[in-house]
Amino acid sequence: MAVTRLAILGATGSIGRQALEVVRAHPDALRVTALSGRSRAAEVARIARDFGVARVATGDADLAALATAPDVDLVLVATPGVAGLVPTLAALEAGKSVALANKEVLVVGGHLVRAAAGGAGERLRPVDSEHSGLWQCLAGERADEVKRVVLTASGGPLRDLPAASLGAVTPEEALRHPTWSMGTKVTLDSATLVNKAYEVIEAHWLYGLPYDRIDVLLHPQSIVHALVEFADGSVKAQLGAPDMRVPIQYALLGERHRPGPGSSLDLAAAGRLDFRALDRGRYPCFGVVLDAARSGAGAVIGVSAADEAAIERFLAGELPFDAIPELLRRGADLGARAVTDAAPPLAAILRADNEIRARLGAPVGVG
Ligand code: NAD
Ligand code: MG
């Protein structure tokens, strides 16, 4: 295997650190040549030393410069929020491949990413477990024979709480995810199911599927990650232990199943796999986000900005958990008015995102 030179954006995060474990296991295939971490400068310096990396960015440095450096072949985008959009597009335009963990990139800029890279494949490699699952199920299949795809959802940290108590949920409770250990933004988005709605939007852009052919099923064990139903009724599913190192490695190695640090699945120990339909009444944000996505680019840009604002304010104790859906609705309205173009250019996306975040009360950034 030729050595792939890798830039990791967000190397100190949950995905970033697990990616470093994958790199360590494959010295013949992967070498880190650039990395970033916004905070924890000492940890960034230690990682750079351990992996012999000279190109390092901390704070709010220019991630596009890292992502387009000449000694980079593949960029792992593992920073949360809209901040991932500019470096992703820059990398693709510079001819790099991108392994995409960040969700907002496709949520607000899916049309731009698709224009630059097409759908999932060598140049645009999904890292999220559900989209990795679809990628694996669709390998060797014909797109025109796919009837529908299904993404599974654990239900998040609050799935067993009575709906009436959601108003009093504390950040600590909302951050306690039952099956995955992840960064703050994605864990809180899992509590509201904004995360799963984002994943539906990602699947739309990655696989060119209309929204009415992408379903979501609750599956508390997080073992079946995704399913594909074909026109003849045959269904393929992708299973694995809930361990992000497996899909991270599959993306970084480019659709290879080599031995690595990921856990293997013990179905006898798991005992059972449960599925149930999603109760949309319990997760109002899910519908708000998908209605926005169906209604147009402006509304979904507004929802994304509002969600970043909502999470900042919820963590600061300024916004009750059950007020998040209303803030997202306001974001969708503001976005639809600010951006009327069906396929807005990057500058218009960033401008609307900034304005709506400021309007809805977010301090800058998450993480
Ligand atoms: P995290 O919060 O653990 O780590 C984020 C990393 O990005 C850190 O290195 C941080 O310093 C850096 N960062 C934060 N804000 C930044 C900004 N504004 N600009 C530049 N750098 C910034 O997050 P994570 O859980 O590793 O998730 C990273 C991305 O991957 C998110 O978009 C998330 O939705 C996605 N994702 C994560 C998981 C998971 O299991 N953790 C699974 C699927 C998808
Ligand atoms: Mg996921």
Side-chain angles (χ1 to χ4, degrees):
M1 232 179 183
V3 174
T4 299
R5 298 167 302 174
L6 178 65
I8 302 183
L9 311 186
T12 53
S14 158
I15 293 286
R17 279 183 271 120
Q18 295 180 85
L20 289 167
E21 280 185 64
V22 169
V23 170
R24 217 186 273 286
H26 299 283
D28 60 324
L30 296 168
R31 192 169 82 236
V32 184
T33 51
L35 60 86
S36 84
R38 190 165 72 152
S39 48
R40 299 204 290 264
E43 188 184 339
V44 176
R46 183 186 53 72
I47 297 169
R49 202 171 47 243
D50 288 357
F51 286 83
V53 183
R55 285 183 201 281
V56 179
T58 51
D60 289 318
D62 182 4
L63 297 185
L66 270 196
T68 55
D71 56 351
V72 166
D73 307 307
L74 173 65
V75 181
L76 172 61
V77 182
T79 53
V82 165
L85 181 59
V86 169
T88 300
L89 290 172
L92 291 173
E93 276 152 22
K96 318 291 187 190
S97 292
V98 167
L100 190 60
N102 173 300
K103 289 144 196 266
E104 289 82 355
V105 166
L106 287 172
V107 168
V108 304
H111 56 291
L112 299 174
V113 173
R114 233 188 128 80
E122 151 73 23
R123 297 216 48 225
L124 181 62
R125 309 179 188 182
V127 169
D128 207 347
S129 53
E130 296 78 3
H131 305 93
S132 179
L134 289 180
W135 197 17
Q136 295 173 57
C137 289
L138 290 167
E141 301 291 355
R142 298 174 49 125
D144 62 351
E145 292 177 355
V146 173
K147 186 168 166 198
R148 64 178 187 130
V149 302
V150 182
L151 309 175
T152 61
S154 70
L158 308 175
R159 68 186 178 202
D160 299 322
L161 207 71
S165 354
L166 288 175
V169 164
T170 62
E172 197 197 4
E173 290 167 308
L175 283 168
R176 221 176 284 137
H177 199 284
T179 46
W180 297 101
S181 162
M182 314 183 286
T184 308
K185 169 98 177 19
V186 60
T187 304
L188 292 177
D189 282 344
S190 299
T192 57
L193 246 64
V194 163
N195 177 59
K196 205 50 58 176
Y198 280 4
E199 290 182 358
V200 169
I201 301 173
E202 290 182 274
H204 165 75
W205 291 113
L206 286 167
Y207 300 103
L209 289 162
Y211 286 112
D212 59 4
R213 292 207 278 139
I214 309 169
D215 291 338
V216 170
L217 200 54
L218 273 193
H219 168 49
Q221 292 92 355
S222 300
I223 286 174
V224 175
H225 303 304
L227 306 97
V228 175
E229 182 179 351
F230 296 94
D232 58 358
S234 173
V235 177
K236 265 187 177 177
Q238 191 267 335
L239 286 73
D243 181 338
M244 284 306 294
R245 293 170 300 185
V246 176
I248 291 170
Q249 175 172 301
Y250 189 75
L252 296 185
L253 295 184
E255 299 182 73
R256 295 288 304 270
H257 292 291
R258 290 175 57 182
S263 325
S264 79
L265 173 61
D266 184 346
L267 273 180
R272 54 189 282 179
L273 300 174
D274 297 304
F275 301 94
R276 58 179 193 268
L278 186 67
D279 172 2
R280 289 182 178 232
R282 191 188 161 78
Y283 295 106
C285 292
F286 181 80
V288 174
V289 174
L290 284 183
D291 287 348
R294 284 198 166 95
S295 80
V300 83
I301 292 164
V303 157
S304 163
D307 185 52
E308 295 206 28
I311 283 179
E312 291 274 353
R313 290 175 58 181
F314 172 68
L315 286 174
E318 288 170 26
L319 188 78
F321 186 81
D322 60 0
I324 296 175
E326 188 47 38
L327 202 70
L328 299 190
R329 274 188 210 103
R330 280 181 57 204
D333 289 345
L334 291 171
R337 266 180 272 146
V339 179
T340 50
D341 191 341
L346 178 60
I349 296 173
L350 297 178
R351 191 168 53 242
D353 174 72
N354 264 318
E355 279 170 14
I356 293 166
R357 265 205 259 189
R359 176 97 175 256
L360 297 182
V364 270
V366 173

